Amino acid sequence: MFQNSCLSVSPDASDAACLGALRVGLIGTGVVGSGTCQVLQRNAELIAQRAGRPIRLVMATARNLHKAAQVVGPGVALVSDPWVLVRHPGIDVVVEVMGGVGLAKDLVLEAIAQGKHVVTANKALLAEHGAEIFAAADACGVVVAYEAAVAVSIPIIKALREGLAANRIHELVGIVNGTSNFILTKMQDEGLSFAAAVRLATELGYAEADPSFDVEGIDAAHKTALLAANAFGADVPFARVHAQGITALDPWDMVCAEALGYRIKLLGIARQCADAIEVRVHPTLVPQAHWLAQVQGSMNGIWVSADAAGPTFHYGAGAGSQTTASAVVADLIDVARCGAAGDAGRAALRVPHRSVQPAALRRWPVMPIGQVTSRHYLRFELGGHPALEAEWPSWLQAHGVELQHMAQVTHPEQAHRKAWVGLTASMRGDDLTRALASLSEQTGGPAAAAVLRVEDLA
Ligand code: HSE
């Protein structure tokens, strides 16, 4: 019932229309897969001019083949078994946009073993299993391209590995999860509830199949790990990456942060320290005037500080169908220029998967979050403790916490509710936790109602 003008599913058939073309097999025809089909069709001529040869979608696999047929259009073979696709000799490059780390990993490794290049948007797969997958690709002389895995419409992987290749990267700070930034924006600017904002992000196709990956900071941690690997030429063990999302964030803190001149954003932070790296994701106060504070809705923004280029700021859509397809197709164009898969000579000339040659990859220890030094935001609700209301800054000082900026904020809708907020001097997270515990123990007053980190990004 499916048209198959370009490629037969029988292993040795070929078609004159495909001669010289880069032949693509697509795994997954959902939000990203459909955008990829649209871009490949709409811009076919331009893409061929840039790639030096046509790029043809010849086969696709999806759970629902009827729906997939609508997505890929005529002339594309549809198979229900993805193993047929990854083993088919008539395919040069596999585009994996199904997601997940189980079957997707097995299929990607099989495609590599079959000598096929891979283009993927799967950040979880590469953050968690990148070392194995990239090693397999290097051994087989194929490329695993993943621009679409991070901040979709921003070519940040290319920027780090090529445009900024001359630089030592000091730090990289980004809003890399469109869904959580969309939720925070809707809560702050339109007063939407968390649950309503999550629903809307899901309806708009921004959220992961399981939105807890977005709101728990895991998706951002996957992306930050990939960015850190490229920025520092490092093998970053994902298990060491700190991930804290926005589920426990109280909208009241957005109001209080604003009173101090800050906005709260879910940031992915990768920083090179003397003998370790920081790789962490958590809600963070950023100055209102900084570019990162201006990134709204599902947009992403990434601030990179490099020794020769200085600071650069990269901005663009962070989620969506054609926005992600833009990165997938750009990777296909790169792959089309690579020549035949398995060509070891050409493979050696390609940009390495994590920006440095595999033998040069560093294994920096990832600093535990408690040892990370930064300024912190504190909120106390001291109503009912008049002594503490007057004394809290000096109590904190006596416990080793220096406050640099303080305010008292009245809740916009509950006039009886007041918060005492302040920003500390730079200190280790562990030291602050200890000081706050001992303060609460000695005074009998309430513990800090909120503690968040601050990035001033000077
Ligand atoms: N759920 C992801 C996000 C999609 O919101 O950023 C793009 O990776």
Side-chain angles (χ1 to χ4, degrees):
M1 97 185 256
F2 297 110
Q3 292 292 309
N4 183 20
S5 70
C6 202
L7 178 91
S8 163
V9 289
S10 79
D12 53 3
S14 65
D15 188 304
C18 290
L19 285 179
L22 181 78
R23 298 165 301 176
V24 178
L26 177 67
I27 307 179
T29 54
V31 174
V32 180
S34 62
T36 302
C37 294
Q38 288 160 12
V39 173
L40 279 174
Q41 280 163 18
R42 191 176 67 236
N43 295 343
E45 197 181 336
L46 184 66
I47 288 167
Q49 287 163 358
R50 292 189 169 143
R53 54 183 169 138
I55 296 181
R56 293 242 156 80
L57 177 63
V58 295
M59 185 182 276
T61 177
R63 267 191 231 113
N64 184 333
L65 291 186
H66 290 281
K67 269 196 194 157
Q70 310 298 315
V71 169
V72 299
V76 177
L78 281 164
V79 291
S80 54
D81 182 355
W83 295 100
V84 171
L85 187 150
V86 295
R87 293 182 178 138
H88 199 291
I91 286 172
D92 305 307
V93 53
V94 170
V95 172
E96 183 277 303
V97 288
M98 67 183 280
V101 293
L103 179 59
K105 180 185 173 201
D106 296 340
L107 290 169
V108 162
L109 285 172
E110 179 64 14
I112 291 169
Q114 296 281 332
K116 301 183 194 315
H117 299 296
V118 173
V119 171
T120 178
N122 194 332
K123 51 262 165 159
L125 177 65
L126 296 182
E128 294 178 27
H129 302 288
E132 181 184 351
I133 289 169
F134 295 139
D138 290 338
C140 295
V142 298
V143 172
V144 174
Y146 54 97
E147 189 65 69
V150 186
V152 300
S153 68
I154 307 173
I156 189 66
I157 299 294
K158 208 174 237 310
L160 291 174
R161 299 193 320 167
E162 300 183 44
L164 294 170
N167 290 258
R168 279 179 195 283
I169 308 286
H170 302 306
E171 68 178 3
L172 180 157
V173 180
I175 292 168
V176 289
N177 181 261
T179 299
S180 48
N181 201 53
F182 176 84
I183 293 168
L184 290 180
T185 306
K186 288 283 170 194
M187 286 169 71
Q188 177 143 32
D189 295 352
E190 295 173 29
L192 241 64
S193 72
F194 179 80
V198 173
R199 265 198 309 278
L200 194 52
T202 305
E203 279 164 26
L204 290 168
Y206 301 150
E208 297 299 295
D210 175 357
S212 68
F213 275 74
D214 297 293
V215 296
E216 300 290 358
I218 300 162
D219 177 78
H222 286 142
K223 294 166 178 168
T224 307
L226 290 173
L227 291 173
N230 280 288
F232 309 134
D235 199 4
V236 177
F238 182 68
R240 308 300 304 275
V241 178
H242 174 80
Q244 179 195 343
I246 58 170
T247 47
L249 188 65
D250 188 332
W252 179 206
D253 286 309
M254 297 180 179
V255 177
C256 296
E258 202 138 328
L260 294 167
Y262 287 78
R263 268 203 151 210
I264 299 178
K265 293 291 185 186
L266 184 70
L267 294 188
I269 300 167
R271 186 167 286 132
Q272 176 78 71
C273 309
D275 48 12
I277 53 176
E278 294 173 15
V279 191
R280 51 193 167 103
V281 170
H282 46 71
T284 314
L285 275 72
V286 288
Q288 273 164 6
H290 194 276
W291 282 325
L292 280 169
Q294 315 300 323
V295 176
Q296 298 288 65
S298 64
M299 301 304 278
N300 281 187
I302 302 170
W303 161 270
V304 182
S305 168
D307 68 342
T312 55
F313 185 67
H314 309 254
Y315 175 81
S321 177
Q322 295 211 2
T323 47
T324 312
S326 165
V328 169
V329 176
D331 276 347
L332 285 172
I333 293 171
D334 265 358
V335 165
R337 295 176 182 137
C338 278
D343 178 343
R346 294 288 288 269
L349 295 175
R350 290 177 197 132
V351 182
H353 286 109
R354 283 170 290 182
S355 84
V356 298
Q357 296 300 332
L361 278 170
R362 305 293 302 264
R363 289 197 70 95
W364 300 100
V366 179
M367 196 179 286
I369 187 70
Q371 290 176 23
V372 170
T373 297
S374 72
R375 297 176 82 204
H376 293 78
Y377 156 92
L378 306 177
R379 169 167 60 85
F380 290 92
E381 306 257 339
L382 299 176
H385 294 81
L388 276 178
E389 285 177 19
E391 298 293 332
W392 70 282
S394 44
W395 274 99
L396 282 171
Q397 181 117 35
H399 285 79
V401 181
E402 186 196 332
L403 284 177
Q404 297 179 329
H405 194 168
M406 284 161 275
Q408 188 180 324
V409 189
T410 303
H411 197 286
E413 284 142 24
Q414 302 163 30
H416 65 279
R417 200 170 166 196
K418 289 187 172 42
W420 283 257
V421 292
L423 302 183
T424 71
S426 198
M427 66 188 298
R428 274 170 42 135
D430 280 345
D431 293 340
L432 178 63
T433 306
R434 261 193 301 275
L436 290 175
S438 108
L439 172 77
S440 163
E441 201 174 295
Q442 285 177 23
T443 61
V451 180
L452 295 167
R453 288 186 180 264
V454 180
E455 284 290 331
D456 285 298
L457 299 162

